[in-house]
Amino acid sequence: MRPRDDRGPILMAIAVGLGGGLLLAAPLTQLLDGPPAGSNHEVVNPFSRWAGMGDKEVVILGTDVGGGNTDVMYTLRVENGVTKLTQVPRDTFIDSARFGPLKANALYAFGGPDAVKQELSKHLGRPVQHHILVNLSVIRRLGDALGGLEVDVPKRMYYTDKTQGLYIDLQPGRQVLRGRDIEGFLRFRHDELGDIGRLDRQKLLLKALFDQLTKPENLVRMPALLAAAGKDMKTDLGPMEIGGLMTAMGGTRLDAERLGGRPFMRDGISYWEAEWPAPSSGAASTSQSERYGSVF
């Protein structure tokens, strides 16, 4: 089995070198779309034969400062001109055959990325083949590298957690978020909506990030942006696979949705009963709240 999670810095360094070569070769639009009509020069995107990576399902995990539980969990795939992101709430109930009943955000701590991919594949009804793990501090570095992310902050957000070095103090209204304000906006969940409100705010930030990254001037900087993640990004994707995934995403629109469901209690613990895709057999299934506990 090839090593996975310790290759981030080397992988990103290779990506930077490849990216530099691409920039010297031709503009990004030519690399993605081919040479202009009548051109005598054939421009070849070395990532093009890897663009099929867009057909693969990738889970993106964001760990907290301690690197244990995952505050953020998305699946990503590209199909029919759309980059599809599906948010999995952190409190989603998982009855794991290996670890017993737990919340989805604890899967990584218990069994690493393989456990996350195995459980998501089972519940989504389609294989989740790859993972990208980032520490949330990467988001603020990436946002700074892009000059900030413009977001319409929906409400007053204030919270302090000294144990995690978290300080959130945002006023409502459209503004450009940078640095720790980006991380705070992602992680804030101390209101009446809890984790669900946080997921809805994540969609706002992801849309701003996607809009920035898909600008031509930023797409050509993608390898360098990824390299900035350094050791705080770990993945089982190789450099050409990452380039292929970026190529597949080029020119698509973003569609982000949250996995539906409702809260329920089990043994005094609050969980999220997720509305997973219906089984392919079409057979009716019993809801988790009916099997394990009562709904709020």
Side-chain angles (χ1 to χ4, degrees):
M1 180 180 295
R2 61 174 179 170
R4 296 190 299 270
D5 289 342
D6 58 349
R7 300 182 304 148
I10 297 175
L11 186 156
M12 291 302 110
I14 295 173
V16 169
L18 289 170
L22 289 176
L23 294 182
L24 292 174
L28 180 70
T29 53
Q30 291 182 343
L31 290 170
L32 294 179
D33 300 330
S39 172
N40 294 324
H41 301 283
E42 181 181 1
V43 180
V44 178
N45 176 3
F47 297 139
S48 60
R49 74 183 187 92
W50 295 87
M53 282 303 303
D55 297 331
K56 307 291 186 182
E57 192 99 10
V58 180
V59 60
I60 301 173
L61 300 168
T63 62
D64 55 23
V65 174
N69 291 346
T70 52
D71 277 354
V72 177
M73 185 182 296
Y74 291 86
T75 62
L76 179 152
R77 68 182 184 278
V78 181
E79 58 182 9
N80 301 323
V82 177
T83 295
K84 181 76 171 182
L85 287 175
T86 302
Q87 301 168 305
V88 180
R90 55 176 280 165
D91 292 338
T92 297
F93 180 85
I94 300 290
D95 191 8
S96 169
R98 293 174 60 190
F99 311 113
L102 44 68
K103 296 184 178 184
N105 74 324
L107 276 170
Y108 175 75
F110 274 85
D114 287 341
V116 177
K117 289 182 285 189
Q118 180 181 9
E119 292 295 340
L120 289 182
S121 296
K122 179 176 70 176
H123 286 84
L124 290 171
R126 57 182 184 263
V128 178
Q129 299 101 325
H130 299 286
H131 71 271
I132 298 174
L133 177 73
V134 296
N135 188 289
L136 289 182
S137 62
V138 169
I139 305 300
R140 66 174 183 247
R141 296 208 304 270
L142 181 59
D144 285 344
L146 290 168
L149 300 174
E150 186 175 2
V151 178
D152 191 359
V153 178
K155 63 193 300 181
R156 178 79 167 94
M157 299 166 63
Y158 181 81
Y159 178 73
T160 301
D161 185 343
K162 294 182 179 179
T163 62
Q164 295 196 23
L166 184 62
Y167 177 68
I168 304 171
D169 187 6
L170 297 173
Q171 298 291 337
R174 182 163 291 278
Q175 56 199 280
V176 176
L177 301 182
R178 294 181 174 86
R180 290 188 176 273
D181 286 342
I182 293 176
E183 183 179 354
F185 188 83
L186 274 173
R187 296 177 62 185
F188 183 81
R189 62 194 295 261
H190 301 274
D191 59 12
E192 67 279 4
L193 295 177
D195 189 49
I196 299 307
R198 185 175 64 92
L199 290 177
D200 289 341
R201 287 185 291 273
Q202 283 179 10
K203 286 196 292 186
L204 296 176
L205 196 64
L206 283 171
K207 179 64 166 60
L209 180 60
F210 185 84
D211 288 345
Q212 280 280 64
L213 288 176
T214 52
K215 290 179 179 179
E217 64 268 27
N218 287 326
L219 276 171
V220 297
R221 299 173 55 211
M222 183 68 73
L225 292 172
L226 291 175
K231 63 182 178 60
D232 287 324
M233 176 177 172
K234 301 175 182 179
T235 180
D236 61 352
L237 292 171
M240 297 304 290
E241 292 171 320
I242 290 178
L245 182 60
M246 291 188 292
T247 297
M249 293 172 64
T252 66
R253 65 176 178 85
L254 178 67
D255 182 7
E257 66 176 11
R258 169 172 55 82
L259 202 61
R262 56 181 180 168
F264 75 100
M265 296 292 294
R266 182 180 190 268
D267 297 334
I269 300 175
S270 173
Y271 294 95
W272 182 256
E273 178 198 0
E275 296 173 350
W276 299 104
S280 57
S281 63
S285 61
T286 303
S287 71
Q288 290 178 345
S289 62
E290 290 172 340
R291 285 182 286 157
Y292 302 122
S294 61
V295 178
F296 282 129

